[in-house]
């Protein structure tokens, strides 16, 4: 399909949208006749750029559906690795149903990954394929998952209860959304739940929801780390003038460290900060600083965080660091618009004017890509 065919008027777009989840739409999914647009970009002129359709095996989501930490390849949902036709249709229907309920892209990606793992296990046994989703085969899957291990902090350990719940929950999704498919025979565990099957109940559940997942940094590590990173903020002017790559990276990571430390933001919230996106107010003898960014995980949207002055200093330094990349981004944006590359233009507009820009080559053959950094280097390792 050419790029011209992908551009639709509002009337054309309305006709070609994929139907919302319903009984009639489910019947079409089962017989393979459901079609329609699932993701798109609305253009400035009121027309629509089609990104993907239900019948396609790769659904491409617009940059606005990810967080500012989402790279281009993570905006895709791929169904082609599911070999069985019926299973692929079920996976699409579950994801479409949850997408229309407003679930975040990251949640959809994780759900699809767990569905793929389950279907892969099913297809490894002809007996399981024949029986389909029953209490008996579900119990066998539970036993299988209980034998799995993962590597955490250099050690191989059994899967945590939380991880098991995620794997078991997709069986419930299949029952609730796809019970009309021949594959789904009955509830995976009558009189029970995914939590119970995973042992994520009672004391284990209470501890999981009350105990922090991230360990507290001990003072013997935190104090020298603060001293080390603060020294880079103090010599920011010197580093910016020198343009030494190693020092520049350490300055960048030091700024992000202080933003994380002093605001309590998640990393995607740090990456969502734009240049000069803060304000101050004075009450009595005290000056308060408020930083504006977007919180995706809590569905809060645009919000403000109270922060000390050093956090705003870090924002200013990061803005200066990324200024050359912002200039290049604006040039690339003009080129994308001139060539009617609406997808690339949308992506660039989504990250424009943010404080954490970085340039790499490996994701694109013919042009340099910009995306917001999605990791924090181990600053102390450079010390």
């Amino acid at each position: 399909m050419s790029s011209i065919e992908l551009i639709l008027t509002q009337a054309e777009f309305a006709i070609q949208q994929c139907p919302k989840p319903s009984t009639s739409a489910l019947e079409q999914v089962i017989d393979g006749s459901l079609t329609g647009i699932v993701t798109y970009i609305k253009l400035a002129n009121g027309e629509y750029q089609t990104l993907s359709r239900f019948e396609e095996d790769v659904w491409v989501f617009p940059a606005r559906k990810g967080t500012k930490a989402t790279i281009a390849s993570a905006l895709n949902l791929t169904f082609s690795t599911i070999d069985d036709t019926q299973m692929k249709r079920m996976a699409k229907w579950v994801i479409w149903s949850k997408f229309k309920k407003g679930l975040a892209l990251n949640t959809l990606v994780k759900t699809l990954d767990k569905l793929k793992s389950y279907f892969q296990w099913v297809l490894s046994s002809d007996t399981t394929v024949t029986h389909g989703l029953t209490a008996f085969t579900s119990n066998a899957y539970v036993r299988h998952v209980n034998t799995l291990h993962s590597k955490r902090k250099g050690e191989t350990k059994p899967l945590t209860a939380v991880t098991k719940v995620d794997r078991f929950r997709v069986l419930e999704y299949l029952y609730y959304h796809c019970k009309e498919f021949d594959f789904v025979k009955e509830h995976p565990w009558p009189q029970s739940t995914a939590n119970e099957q995973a042992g994520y109940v009672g004391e284990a559940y209470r501890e999981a929801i009350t105990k922090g997942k991230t360990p507290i940094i001990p003072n013997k590590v935190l104090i020298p780390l603060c001293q080390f990173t603060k020294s880079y903020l103090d010599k920011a002017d010197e580093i910016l003038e020198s343009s030494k790559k190693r020092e520049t990276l350490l300055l960048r990571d030091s700024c992000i460290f202080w933003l994380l430390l002093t605001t309590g933001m998640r990393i995607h919230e740090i990456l969502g900060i734009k240049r000069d996106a803060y304000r101050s107010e004075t009450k009595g003898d005290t000056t308060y600083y408020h930083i504006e960014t977007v919180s995706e995980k809590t569905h809060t949207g645009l919000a403000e965080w109270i922060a000390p002055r050093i956090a705003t200093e870090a924002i200013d330094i990061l803005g200066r660091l990324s200024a050359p990349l912002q200039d290049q981004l604006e040039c690339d944006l003009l080129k994308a618009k001139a060539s009617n590359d609406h997808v690339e233009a949308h992506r660039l507009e989504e990250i424009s004017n943010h404080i954490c820009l970085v340039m790499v080559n490996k994701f694109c053959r013919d042009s340099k890509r910009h995306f917001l950094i999605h990791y924090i280097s181990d600053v102390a390792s450079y010390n």
Side-chain angles (χ1 to χ4, degrees), residues 272-287:
I273 300 173
K274 291 187 175 182
R275 284 181 172 79
D276 304 318
Y278 62 83
R279 63 182 178 86
S280 64
E281 62 175 342
T282 302
K283 295 182 179 180
D285 297 329
T286 305
T287 299

Side-chain angles (χ1 to χ4, degrees), residues 92-192:
K92 285 186 175 183
W93 185 245
V94 170
I95 296 302
W96 179 238
S97 298
K98 292 192 168 297
F99 177 45
K100 297 308 289 183
K101 288 183 178 180
L103 269 68
L105 175 59
N106 189 48
T107 301
L108 299 178
V109 170
K110 290 179 179 179
T111 299
L112 181 56
D113 285 345
K114 299 301 184 296
L115 283 167
K116 288 179 179 179
S117 295
Y118 170 65
F119 289 143
Q120 185 177 21
W121 174 81
V122 170
L123 292 171
S124 67
S125 168
D126 292 338
T127 303
T128 308
V129 173
T130 302
H131 282 81
L133 178 59
T134 66
F136 176 78
T137 58
S138 299
N139 185 51
Y141 185 62
V142 170
R143 293 197 302 272
H144 163 71
V145 170
N146 285 336
T147 67
L148 301 179
H149 292 73
S150 64
K151 198 168 186 177
R152 303 193 301 277
K153 297 181 180 178
E155 297 181 32
T156 301
K157 299 180 180 179
L159 300 184
T160 65
V162 175
T163 301
K164 291 179 183 179
V165 167
D166 290 338
R167 285 177 175 262
F168 298 156
R169 198 165 281 156
V170 295
L171 277 66
E172 296 180 350
Y173 296 160
L174 287 171
Y175 176 75
Y176 292 129
H177 295 289
C178 304
K179 61 170 64 77
E180 286 79 4
F181 280 84
D182 291 337
F183 177 81
V184 180
K185 303 295 195 301
E186 59 183 345
H187 193 285
W189 22 76
Q191 312 303 319
S192 185

Side-chain angles (χ1 to χ4, degrees), residues 4 6-13 40-50 342:
I4 296 177
L6 293 173
I7 305 298
L8 304 173
T9 65
Q10 186 171 1
E12 292 170 333
F13 172 75
Y40 59 89
I41 296 172
K42 186 173 182 179
L43 307 180
N45 62 2
E47 294 183 326
Y48 293 82
Q49 163 90 53
T50 301
H342 303 297

Side-chain angles (χ1 to χ4, degrees), residues 236-306:
D237 290 339
E238 176 187 337
I239 293 172
L240 287 167
E241 289 178 7
S242 69
S243 299
K244 293 181 180 178
K245 185 176 181 180
R246 177 178 176 277
E247 296 295 290
T248 299
L249 290 175
L250 278 169
L251 176 59
R252 180 200 67 186
D253 291 349
S254 295
C255 289
I256 296 175
F257 168 78
W258 276 95
L259 282 168
L260 290 166
L261 179 68
T262 59
T263 66
M265 291 183 188
R266 299 175 178 87
I267 185 60
H268 82 267
E269 292 159 352
I270 298 289
L271 301 181
I273 300 173
K274 291 187 175 182
R275 284 181 172 79
D276 304 318
Y278 62 83
R279 63 182 178 86
S280 64
E281 62 175 342
T282 302
K283 295 182 179 180
D285 297 329
T286 305
T287 299
Y288 299 89
Y289 296 90
H290 303 265
I291 299 175
E292 183 181 81
T293 186
V294 176
S295 180
E296 300 286 353
K297 185 167 183 174
T298 60
H299 305 289
T300 302
L302 196 63
E304 287 187 326
W305 276 254
I306 295 178

Side-chain angles (χ1 to χ4, degrees), residues 231-241 251 317 320:
S231 70
Y232 274 82
L233 270 68
D234 292 339
K235 56 185 178 183
D237 290 339
E238 176 187 337
I239 293 172
L240 287 167
E241 289 178 7
L251 176 59
I317 294 170
R320 293 167 64 190

